[in-house]
């Protein structure tokens, strides 16, 4: 193909980032170990500890951020009886898009008697960012899960705000083949105006969902006891063998404070060290 026939769309596509991690861990002699690790593109996974009951996996995006047209995939399998905690080296940044969405697809499979704590640091959206994320989680009947995803609209401490953009976030969770949780959020266009609505965010720009399985009213009661310590707002509910916490704060620092309080309680004080760097 000659240079004259290369279109701007082809040039754009050739300069987009891609990345994929496929990780399988298994339990062996009372410890969780890596069985298979596949890395491609700009995504990497590192394991700061070894020979431990709960293995820690740290996700790294060597590209330094994500923008429209980028495509990333994460596929994690936690084998029978294994224990895995996953976090990120830093907050992920979603930069301005020229139109296409940044696509992020997360697929998690947690086996019998296994546990997964999915604890990435915040995802920060910049003005005119476009992101479409799909999250699929399959749990065995006796598996356990603490799953956190938090989103911050703009770096308010630096005077930045998200006026326009697009965010599509689709969650699906199955337990033993049965769909037990399904939710899709879509924000598009004038995001700042939408978040300013009293029934939406009342001006808040930092949000998080914490999904806990198994979870029940006892889980919710223990978390409600923390409410005087929270700096933002929190909603708690339990149904269908799940507990869900929704957090809303005026900025990322307030949200981080509240998430640390909540997750410390859920995990008996065990949080990845990177959360405190």
């Amino acid at each position: 193909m000659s240079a004259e026939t290369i279109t701007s769309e082809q040039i754009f596509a050739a300069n987009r980032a891609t990345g994929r991690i496929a990780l399988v861990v298994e339990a062996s002699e009372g410890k969780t170990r890596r069985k298979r690790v596949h890395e491609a593109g700009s995504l990497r996974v590192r394991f700061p500890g070894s020979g431990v009951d709960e293995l820690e996996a740290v996700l790294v995006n060597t590209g330094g951020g994500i923008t429209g047209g980028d495509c990333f995939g994460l596929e994690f399998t936690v084998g029978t009886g294994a224990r895995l905690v996953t976090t990120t080296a830093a907050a992920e940044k979603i930069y301005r898009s020229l139109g296409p969405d940044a696509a992020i697809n997360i697929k998690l499979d947690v086996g019998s008697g296994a546990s997964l704590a999915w604890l990435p640091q915040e995802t920060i959206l910049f003005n005119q960012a476009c992101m479409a994320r799909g999250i699929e989680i399959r749990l065995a009947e006796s598996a356990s899960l603490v799953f956190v995803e938090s989103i911050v609209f703009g770096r308010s401490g630096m005077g930045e705000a998200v006026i326009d953009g697009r965010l599509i976030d689709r969650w699906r969770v199955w337990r033993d083949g049965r769909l037990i949780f399904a939710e899709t959020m879509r924000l598009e266009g004038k995001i700042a105006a939408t978040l300013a609505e009293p029934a939406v965010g009342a001006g808040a720009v930092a949000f998080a969902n914490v999904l806990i399985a198994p979870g029940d009213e006892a889980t919710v009661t223990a978390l409600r006891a923390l409410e005087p310590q929270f700096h933002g707002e929190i909603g708690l509910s339990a149904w269908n063998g799940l507990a869900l916490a929704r957090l809303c704060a005026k900025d990322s620092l307030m949200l981080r404070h509240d998430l640390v309080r909540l997750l410390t309680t859920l995990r008996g004080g065990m949080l990845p060290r990177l959360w405190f760097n």
Side-chain angles (χ1 to χ4, degrees):
M1 181 181 293
S2 66
E4 290 76 15
T5 61
I6 297 176
T7 67
S8 59
E9 289 79 7
Q10 289 171 318
I11 295 173
F12 179 84
N15 285 278
R16 293 305 89 222
T18 62
R20 179 173 178 264
I21 295 173
L23 171 67
V24 179
V25 301
E26 62 179 10
S28 175
E29 299 178 349
K31 303 183 187 303
T32 298
R33 295 184 169 91
R34 291 163 279 175
K35 181 179 180 181
R36 186 167 64 252
V37 181
H38 171 80
E39 301 172 329
S42 62
L43 290 185
R44 298 289 182 270
V45 58
R46 296 295 178 260
F47 305 90
S50 61
V52 293
D53 178 34
E54 183 180 60
L55 183 65
E56 181 176 338
V58 178
L59 305 177
V60 180
N61 178 11
T62 61
I66 300 173
T67 190
D70 292 352
C71 185
F72 294 91
L74 301 169
E75 299 177 18
F76 282 35
T77 299
V78 186
T80 299
R83 301 182 64 224
L84 178 68
V85 56
T86 300
T87 189
T88 53
E92 188 61 87
K93 299 177 180 65
I94 313 296
Y95 294 113
R96 173 178 174 265
S97 170
L98 297 177
D101 292 332
I104 302 173
N105 294 295
I106 300 171
K107 295 183 179 181
L108 309 174
D109 194 320
V110 189
S112 298
S115 72
L116 172 63
W118 186 268
L119 311 176
Q121 299 188 62
E122 300 86 353
T123 297
I124 302 173
L125 271 66
F126 284 62
N127 191 39
Q128 296 183 341
C130 297
M131 181 178 79
R133 182 169 59 186
I135 298 168
E136 297 184 7
I137 305 172
R138 297 185 181 274
L139 304 173
E141 186 63 38
S142 57
S144 61
L145 173 75
V146 175
F147 185 92
V148 177
E149 282 292 355
S150 51
I151 292 178
V152 178
F153 293 89
R155 298 181 298 183
S156 54
M158 301 183 69
E160 299 171 354
V162 175
I163 307 301
D164 302 286
R166 180 167 60 248
L167 170 64
I168 303 169
D169 211 12
R170 180 182 184 274
W171 294 37
R172 298 292 185 270
V173 183
W174 290 265
R175 167 81 79 180
D176 197 27
R178 296 173 290 107
L179 184 65
I180 58 173
F181 182 80
E183 178 173 279
T184 300
M185 176 180 69
R186 185 182 187 105
L187 285 172
E188 188 168 10
K190 303 297 182 182
I191 288 180
T194 300
L195 295 180
E197 293 289 339
V200 180
V205 297
F207 305 88
N209 289 319
V210 183
L211 187 66
I212 306 140
D216 53 23
E217 285 298 332
T219 308
V220 168
T221 298
L223 297 179
R224 283 194 179 123
L226 302 173
E227 289 193 61
Q229 303 178 37
F230 292 141
H231 290 173
E233 295 186 52
I234 184 168
L236 294 156
S237 55
W239 78 104
N240 217 20
L242 299 169
L244 179 66
R246 300 189 191 274
L247 294 88
C248 173
K250 296 297 183 183
D251 58 44
S252 60
L253 288 178
M254 292 174 62
L255 181 67
R256 174 67 69 101
H257 172 276
D258 293 352
L259 277 173
V260 167
R261 296 296 185 277
L262 186 146
L263 293 173
T264 298
T265 297
L266 285 174
R267 289 182 43 80
M270 297 185 298
L271 285 179
R273 284 172 294 177
L274 286 166
W275 271 62
F276 302 100
N277 286 355

